[in-house]
Amino acid sequence: MMIIMNVEATVEQVEVVVERITANGFKPLVLHGEERKVIAVVGQNPYSTHEQYVYLPGVEQVMPISRPYKMTSREFKPQNTTFPVRNFQIGGDQVIMMAGPCSVESRTQLLETALAIKEAGGQILRGGAYKPRTSPYSFQGLGEEGLEILAEARELTGMPVVTEVTSHDLVPLVAKYADILQIGARNMQNFALLNAAGASQQPILLKRGNSATIEELLMSAEYILSHGNRQVILCERGIRTFETSTRNTTDINAVPVLKSLTHLPVFLDPSHSTGRWEFVAPIARAGIAAGADGLIIEVHLAPEKALSDGAQSLKPERYAQLVRQARAIALDVDRC
Ligand code: PEP
Ligand code: MN
């Protein structure tokens, strides 16, 4: 249930409602909107009814929410969530272009790639330092050295960086270096990691698990939001279907569906969703047309030599061409 306070409600009136919620055995989550406060009532108590709140001073409306996720839902917060990451506004009018190699492989590789991406119109630099690989024999990432290289690339280019954190105990370390913490598809339901990411108060890029439903993705986001961290980006990166001609199947529906169900920004990763560089640009264009707030794309100077995900990586020239096309489509859908 959600309790919407009226515009003139005082701090004391909000406190009374919060106390009543707690006394009834629920957890109150207060959202400070621009105009008014909204309080989400989280938990289960069959003996509690919404009449217990309607007549409290300062309460304008009490709304039941049938969805299992609360703070993540559009009912809870009708306006889009936007937040700054250094000089960029995530979830605003501008479609945000994140790009970089799948893995940080070396200092020279990352610095050169970062400069090329910036030149091509990329805005936020990606690169994995901790790599969750299907095989234990594959390249696992440079670890903290990779984080240091990412920070150096940020110094050099001014681009904020996003990198994956694979375990809850690495959150403080990765948060020291990165502007955005990525939670990968394989960890979408790693609840210890979601809790640590929530507690960190850093912006989070949460990727959809490859067999997760949209509702499960939203429930995972709810873990982060329930810690008071509202800076969450959701990312569709393809799901597993019976189709084998691409690495995953882009659930392009997920973009408008998520936009309707939640206020959080929604990005698309056409690199992992297709697994083949030839299909990255068409699906990226479709994503912008479908209403995505940003793209995250793998770029490599020499994809044939990449230590991970070379087959789906674009060369910088192709990436530059894609950015131009994406910006034109963004204008067509009233974005920029
Ligand atoms: C990645 O971004 O390189 C990655 C491993 O992505 P995902 O978690 O979507 O597979
Ligand atoms: Mn990758």
Side-chain angles (χ1 to χ4, degrees):
M1 147 181 19
M2 292 220 314
I3 301 178
I4 299 160
M5 303 301 292
N6 65 38
V7 184
E8 288 97 41
T10 62
V11 176
E12 291 73 28
Q13 288 171 338
V14 173
E15 261 167 32
V16 170
V17 176
V18 164
E19 275 162 22
R20 176 73 63 92
I21 294 168
T22 314
N24 286 339
F26 294 97
K27 191 173 161 201
L29 299 168
V30 183
L31 180 78
H32 302 264
E34 265 162 42
E35 272 203 333
R36 59 179 83 229
K37 293 192 173 55
V38 173
I39 309 168
V41 183
V42 184
Q44 311 255 317
N45 176 351
Y47 303 108
S48 178
T49 67
H50 77 292
E51 274 87 43
Q52 293 174 317
Y53 306 98
V54 250
Y55 302 112
L56 291 178
V59 170
E60 179 155 306
Q61 206 191 339
V62 180
M63 278 170 48
I65 299 189
S66 45
R67 302 192 192 283
Y69 46 90
K70 311 283 176 202
M71 301 181 80
T72 304
S73 74
R74 266 234 190 255
E75 287 150 310
F76 182 65
K77 182 172 180 280
Q79 314 83 357
N80 288 333
T81 285
T82 73
F83 53 86
V85 171
R86 294 194 179 239
N87 39 344
F88 299 109
Q89 193 67 19
I90 308 286
D93 286 341
Q94 191 180 48
V95 170
I96 297 294
M97 303 290 172
M98 295 179 174
C102 178
S103 301
V104 179
E105 299 171 3
S106 71
R107 182 170 174 270
T108 335
Q109 171 246 12
L110 191 76
L111 299 186
E112 279 178 23
T113 314
L115 289 169
I117 286 171
K118 186 162 187 192
E119 168 91 24
Q123 296 166 306
I124 297 182
L125 180 67
R126 65 148 287 149
Y130 295 91
K131 294 306 301 176
R133 304 303 300 279
T134 305
S135 163
Y137 309 118
S138 302
F139 177 61
Q140 303 286 311
L142 296 180
E144 189 167 1
E145 187 194 343
L147 298 176
E148 282 164 6
I149 298 172
L150 281 164
E152 190 179 344
R154 175 177 53 214
E155 283 294 303
L156 178 71
T157 61
M159 281 193 285
V161 300
V162 53
T163 194
E164 180 162 356
V165 52
T166 46
S167 129
H168 64 94
D169 48 11
L170 284 172
V171 168
L173 177 71
V174 179
K176 238 174 49 191
Y177 292 94
D179 299 286
I180 305 175
L181 306 180
Q182 175 175 326
I183 297 185
R186 290 157 190 80
N187 272 316
M188 189 203 84
Q189 285 188 319
N190 178 339
F191 300 113
L193 177 57
L194 295 171
N195 285 327
S200 80
Q201 306 298 324
Q202 286 265 125
I204 308 293
L205 175 77
L206 176 63
K207 297 183 106 183
R208 179 180 182 182
N210 82 347
S211 301
T213 63
I214 285 175
E215 186 167 293
E216 285 163 345
L217 170 62
L218 292 169
M219 292 305 291
S220 290
E222 188 80 12
Y223 268 84
I224 302 170
L225 268 70
S226 72
H227 289 272
N229 184 355
R230 312 243 161 83
Q231 305 188 95
V232 177
I233 305 165
L234 302 173
C235 182
E236 165 61 38
R237 46 76 73 207
I239 50 173
R240 180 166 289 184
T241 66
F242 55 78
E243 182 52 67
T244 54
S245 58
T246 48
R247 180 177 180 183
N248 290 294
T249 296
T250 312
D251 181 7
I252 200 77
N253 295 359
V255 174
V257 170
L258 283 167
K259 294 295 294 177
S260 75
L261 295 174
T262 177
H263 50 85
L264 295 173
V266 177
F267 277 42
L268 180 70
D269 173 348
S271 308
H272 292 87
S273 80
T274 62
R276 308 247 308 260
W277 72 265
E278 311 91 290
F279 306 134
V280 169
I283 298 307
R285 296 191 298 253
I288 305 290
D293 296 297
L295 295 173
I296 178 164
I297 291 181
E298 288 185 339
V299 173
H300 201 284
L301 299 173
E304 64 290 351
K305 294 195 189 132
L307 296 183
S308 59
D309 287 351
Q312 65 194 34
S313 297
L314 295 182
K315 290 186 180 159
E317 313 82 75
R318 289 194 197 275
Y319 179 63
Q321 186 184 31
L322 169 56
V323 172
R324 286 193 294 275
Q325 295 167 342
R327 290 275 174 237
I329 298 170
L331 288 176
D332 271 349
V333 293
D334 301 325
R335 307 288 294 265
C336 55

